[in-house]
Amino acid sequence: MPELPEVETVVRGLRASLPGRTILDVRLGKTDFIDDPAALGEHLPGARIAGVTRIGKFISIELESRAADGPRQIPTLMIHLGMTGRLRTCDPNDPIAPHTHSFFGLDDGQELRYTDIRRFGRILLVPASGMSEFQGQLGPEPLEISREDFCGKFHSREARIKAMLLDQRVIRGVGNIYADESLFRARIHPARIARSLTRAQLIALHSALREVLTAAIRLRGSSVSNYVDSNGKKGEFQQRHRVYQREGKPCTRCKTPIRRIIVAGRSSHFCPKCQAAPRNSGKRKAARQR
DNA sequence: CTTACGGCCTGGGTGC
DNA sequence: TGCACCCAGGCCGTAA
C-alpha cells in the first residue's frame, strides 16, 4: 500500500519527466473514484505541468496555463493512490494494463496512466482558493514536525497511539506499515493510550518514525500487494520489516513470536515482549465481556 | 467536544 | 471447477 515513502518515490520518479510537459487530452474509463470527472476534461487540456510534489499520501501535480492562453487559474491535480493505485508514464502504444482508468496525453508523445485495481484511490482538482483548506485538513509532515510539536500532539489525547498515527489530521502520510514499524522500534504497544505515554516514549516514537520513513524512502518504499513506483520498479523496504506481516515469526530482538491484533479497526503487528501491553487492558476486556 | 465502532466501496487470494 | 469468505485504507454515520 502506498504510504508516505512509496508516494515520495513515485513523486520523485514523475518529477524526472512531467514538469514542463503540457497535457493535451484526457480520456477516462471508470470514474467513480474521481470527485468531478467532467472537470478534468474542462481544466486539464492545454495546461502545463509546473511541478510534482507530495502532500501526505497525495501526489500533487501543479498546473499553469501557457502564456498564449493568458492568465487563467488552473486547479492542482491531486491524486491519492489508495491501496492499489499506480501512476506512470508510458508510450501510448504500450499494452494497457487491466484496471487502467485514466489516460493523460502529453505533448512529448508520452502518456500518463492511472491504474487502480480496487479503485480505493481518488482523483480531484483543488483550485488555488481551496488549497489552504485542503492542507488544513491534514496534520504536519512527520519528517518536518519538531520533537516538541510532536509530543504536544499526543500528550493529552485519550485515543490509542496507533489510531492517532493513522489519523491524517494528526500526522499526514503514515499508514499501517509505518505505524507498526515505528511503534516496534519505539517499543510502544499499539493499543496504548497516547496520554499515558511518557515524554521519553514520545521522543522515541518521533525518532523511530523519522528513521523508519527515511530508511524506507532510501529503499524506494515497501512492495506489498504489488506496489511499484512510476518506473514499474519494486521497493525494497519490505525486507526490513520487523513486525508488519510477520505474524508468528520470531521477533528480531528477542525471538518471541510476533502477534497480530486489531487496533483501531486495523491489523496491528507487534512483539508482545518488547512492546508491553497497556496496564489494565486485561481488566477492561473482562469488564466488557461481563 | 472526543473517541469507538461498524459498514461500505472493490476484487485478488485462499481454502474448501 | 466453482464459490463463499476474508481483507485492505479511507471515509462516513451513529453511538456513547
Side-chain angles (χ1 to χ4, degrees), chain A residues 84-86 98-101 114-120 225-226:
Chain A
T84 53
R86 291 187 192 184
H99 309 290
T100 300
H101 304 298
Y114 180 73
T115 305
D116 191 347
I117 297 172
R118 307 253 159 99
R119 303 205 300 285
F120 281 15
S225 78
N226 299 324

Side-chain angles (χ1 to χ4, degrees), chain A residues 11-60:
Chain A
V11 162
R12 289 181 184 183
L14 294 174
R15 211 175 271 151
S17 58
L18 288 187
R21 298 278 62 79
T22 294
I23 298 175
L24 299 182
D25 60 81
V26 176
R27 284 181 296 132
L28 303 177
K30 291 188 178 175
T31 58
D32 55 355
F33 59 96
I34 302 176
D35 282 27
D36 184 354
L40 297 185
E42 243 166 71
H43 292 280
L44 300 189
R48 182 165 50 206
I49 298 171
V52 185
T53 57
R54 179 185 59 73
I55 301 177
K57 299 183 198 173
F58 284 89
I59 296 163
S60 169

